[in-house]
C-alpha cells in the first residue's frame, strides 16, 4: 500500500526559499497533494500533481516530482512569516477514496 | 461559495458517552470523507461516503460510524468514548465519483473533541 514520509522540521529566514520534501512508496498511478495547516485550523489545499507529471507551478509554489526516486518537493519562493505552518504531503490511489498523509513538516520562518 | 462546515467546533465529553459530529460539504460536492488527527498518530482516514454509500473505511473500531444523507451532509458518531478518542476530527469534500483521486479535496476547520 501507499506510505508517505516527510522530514519533521524546517527553519528558514524571511525572503529565502523553502523546500519541503516528501517521499512516497507506491509506484502505481497516484495523485499527490500538499496541504497547509495553521495552528487551530483545518487543512488548506495548496496544490496537487499527478504522478506522471514532473513539475507544477502556481504563483510562489513549485512542486517537483522525481518519479524514479518517488520524491516530491514543495518549493515556496520568497517565504513570508505568514507561511509558518505545518505542511502535509498526501497521496491517493485510484479507487481508494482516501488520502494517505505524511507526518507533516513544521516550517518556521524567522524574521 | 461556502466552504466545508463542521459542527460543533469544540466539545468536551466524558468517557463512556457518545458523540455525533456533523459536516456540510461544499455545495455540489457528493463525496465526503472523515479523518482523525492526533499528535501521536497524525492524520488517519476514517471513512468516505458518496451518494449515501460508504465506499471505504479505515482501520478503526466499530465504535466509529458514519452516514451520509441525500443532501450530501454527513455525520459521524463515536460511541462509548475513550480518552484516546480525543482528537481533531476533520471532514473533507470533493466533487467527483473518484473521491480522493484527482479531485480537489477541501477540508473543514474540524471538530475538536476532548474526552475526560
Amino acid at each position: 500500500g501507499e506510505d508517505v514520509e516527510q522530514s519533521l522540521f524546517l527553519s528558514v529566514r524571511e525572503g529565502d526559499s523553502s523546500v519541503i520534501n516528501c517521499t512516497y512508496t507506491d509506484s502505481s498511478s497516484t495523485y499527490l497533494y500538499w496541504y497547509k495547516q495553521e495552528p487551530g485550523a483545518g487543512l488548506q489545499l495548496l496544490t496537487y500533481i499527478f504522478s506522471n507529471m514532473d513539475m507544477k507551478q502556481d504563483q510562489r509554489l513549485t512542486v517537483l516530482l522525481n518519479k524514479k526516486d518517488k520524491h516530491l518537493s514543495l518549493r515556496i519562493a520568497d517565504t513570508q512569516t505568514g507561511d509558518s505552518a505545518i505542511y502535509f504531503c498526501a497521496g491517493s490511489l485510484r479507487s481508494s477514496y482516501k488520502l494517505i498523509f505524511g507526518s507533516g513538516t513544521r516550517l518556521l520562518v524567522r524574521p | 461559495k461556502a466552504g466545508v462546515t463542521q459542527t460543533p467546533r469544540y466539545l468536551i465529553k466524558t468517557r463512556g458517552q457518545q458523540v455525533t459530529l456533523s459536516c456540510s460539504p461544499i455545495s455540489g460536492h457528493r463525496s465526503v470523507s472523515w479523518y482523525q488527527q492526533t499528535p501521536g498518530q497524525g492524520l488517519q482516514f476514517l471513512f468516505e461516503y458518496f451518494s449515501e454509500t460508504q465506499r471505504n473505511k479505515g482501520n478503526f473500531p466499530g465504535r466509529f460510524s458514519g452516514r451520509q444523507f441525500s443532501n450530501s451532509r454527513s455525520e459521524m458518531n463515536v460511541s462509548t468514548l475513550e480518552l484516546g478518542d480525543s482528537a481533531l476530527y476533520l471532514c473533507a469534500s470533493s466533487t467527483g465519483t473518484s473521491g480522493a483521486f484527482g479531485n480537489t479535496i477541501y477540508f473543514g476547520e474540524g471538530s475538536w473533541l476532548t474526552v475526560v
Side-chain angles (χ1 to χ4, degrees):
Chain A
E2 180 74 273
D3 192 22
V4 178
E5 293 188 359
Q6 299 179 241
S7 51
L8 292 181
F9 183 75
L10 176 65
S11 177
V12 300
R13 194 178 299 278
E14 189 174 19
D16 288 349
S17 291
S18 306
V19 179
I20 301 171
N21 296 303
C22 171
T23 57
Y24 62 99
T25 58
D26 204 284
S27 59
S28 59
S29 58
T30 299
Y31 275 89
L32 297 153
Y33 298 79
W34 285 103
Y35 283 90
K36 174 184 178 183
Q37 187 176 39
E38 297 184 70
L43 300 177
Q44 176 190 351
L45 176 64
L46 295 176
T47 187
Y48 67 97
I49 190 170
F50 187 51
S51 55
N52 69 351
M53 298 170 65
D54 298 320
M55 187 184 88
K56 183 177 181 181
Q57 188 158 2
D58 184 2
Q59 299 182 330
R60 292 191 299 123
L61 303 179
T62 302
V63 177
L64 292 176
L65 180 59
N66 180 324
K67 292 183 283 294
K68 174 175 171 289
D69 295 336
K70 299 193 189 111
H71 180 267
L72 180 74
S73 65
L74 174 69
R75 179 178 178 268
I76 306 172
D78 187 26
T79 312
Q80 302 298 307
T81 54
D83 294 324
S84 292
I86 300 176
Y87 291 79
F88 290 94
C89 169
S92 74
L93 303 176
R94 189 183 296 276
S95 299
S96 76
Y97 309 120
K98 66 180 181 181
L99 293 172
I100 305 294
F101 284 89
S103 53
T105 299
R106 183 179 297 274
L107 173 64
L108 175 65
V109 182
R110 310 184 307 273
Chain B
K1 192 174 187 180
V4 180
T5 304
Q6 292 189 244
T7 56
R9 284 278 285 137
Y10 304 92
L11 67 166
I12 300 174
K13 290 286 187 178
T14 304
R15 271 181 300 176
Q17 287 186 316
Q18 71 157 4
V19 66
T20 299
L21 308 177
S22 179
C23 172
S24 293
I26 293 171
S27 178
H29 285 197
R30 295 165 64 192
S31 169
V32 174
S33 50
W34 290 87
Y35 293 81
Q36 181 196 62
Q37 185 177 24
T38 60
Q41 298 299 316
L43 282 152
Q44 293 190 294
F45 170 77
L46 281 157
F47 20 67
E48 191 266 359
Y49 291 89
F50 181 84
S51 293
E52 302 178 70
T53 300
Q54 185 183 87
R55 297 193 295 187
N56 200 358
K57 187 178 191 305
N59 189 24
F60 280 84
R63 301 185 295 107
F64 291 80
S65 63
R67 59 178 175 169
Q68 186 181 34
F69 302 95
S70 58
N71 61 358
S72 294
R73 193 177 69 83
S74 177
E75 288 181 348
M76 66 162 283
N77 182 276
V78 187
S79 63
T80 319
L81 284 165
E82 301 176 359
L83 295 178
D85 297 332
S86 294
L88 175 64
Y89 290 88
L90 291 163
C91 171
S93 76
S94 66
T95 54
T97 57
S98 57
F101 190 74
N103 292 295
T104 46
I105 304 160
Y106 298 97
F107 282 79
E109 291 293 301
S111 292
W112 288 91
L113 170 65
T114 301
V115 182
V116 297

